[in-house]
Amino acid sequence: MNLDSLQGILKEKCGLSKDSPVLVGVSGGPDSLCLLSILKECSFLIQAVHINHHLRAEADSEAARVKQYCLDWAIPFLQFDVDVNTF
């Protein structure tokens, strides 16, 4: 499968449009980074969002990795820190 056919699937099956921004939740794992990369390569207007729950020892390094990835790829990035223990 090439990017053109994948782009068609994203438009037809997922309803994505190059005229509308796509908010992408990025955990920092390989699957979400792959999704972000594909959307970027297909020239969709994307905004990455990472929510750091601080529940695992590697949470801060994952957040930093996502932020750096977005900086390197010129993808707008938002990070939210949530203390789930207060809920």
Side-chain angles (χ1 to χ4, degrees), residues 48-61:
V49 177
H50 178 80
I51 300 175
N52 187 343
H53 296 102
H54 300 280
L55 293 176
R56 295 176 292 111
E58 61 272 13
D60 289 337
S61 64

Side-chain angles (χ1 to χ4, degrees), residues 36-38 40-41 67-76:
L36 191 64
S37 177
I38 288 169
K40 172 75 173 172
E41 289 296 315
K67 182 178 182 179
Q68 187 60 55
Y69 187 92
C70 290
L71 286 171
D72 292 345
W73 282 75
I75 297 171

Side-chain angles (χ1 to χ4, degrees), residues 25-34 49-50 56 61-63 65-67:
V26 184
S27 67
D31 53 344
S32 64
L33 290 173
C34 179
V49 177
H50 178 80
R56 295 176 292 111
S61 64
E62 285 176 343
R65 182 173 48 249
V66 173
K67 182 178 182 179

Side-chain angles (χ1 to χ4, degrees), residues 5-87:
S5 60
L6 182 56
Q7 188 174 12
I9 291 169
L10 291 169
K11 286 180 179 181
E12 292 172 26
K13 303 287 184 184
C14 300
L16 299 185
S17 167
K18 291 196 176 186
D19 298 328
S20 298
V22 179
L23 193 61
V24 185
V26 184
S27 67
D31 53 344
S32 64
L33 290 173
C34 179
L35 172 64
L36 191 64
S37 177
I38 288 169
L39 292 171
K40 172 75 173 172
E41 289 296 315
C42 287
S43 300
F44 285 99
L45 183 63
I46 55 176
Q47 168 93 39
V49 177
H50 178 80
I51 300 175
N52 187 343
H53 296 102
H54 300 280
L55 293 176
R56 295 176 292 111
E58 61 272 13
D60 289 337
S61 64
E62 285 176 343
R65 182 173 48 249
V66 173
K67 182 178 182 179
Q68 187 60 55
Y69 187 92
C70 290
L71 286 171
D72 292 345
W73 282 75
I75 297 171
F77 171 77
L78 291 173
Q79 178 178 324
F80 297 95
D81 293 270
V82 177
D83 183 358
V84 295
N85 294 318
T86 62
F87 294 104

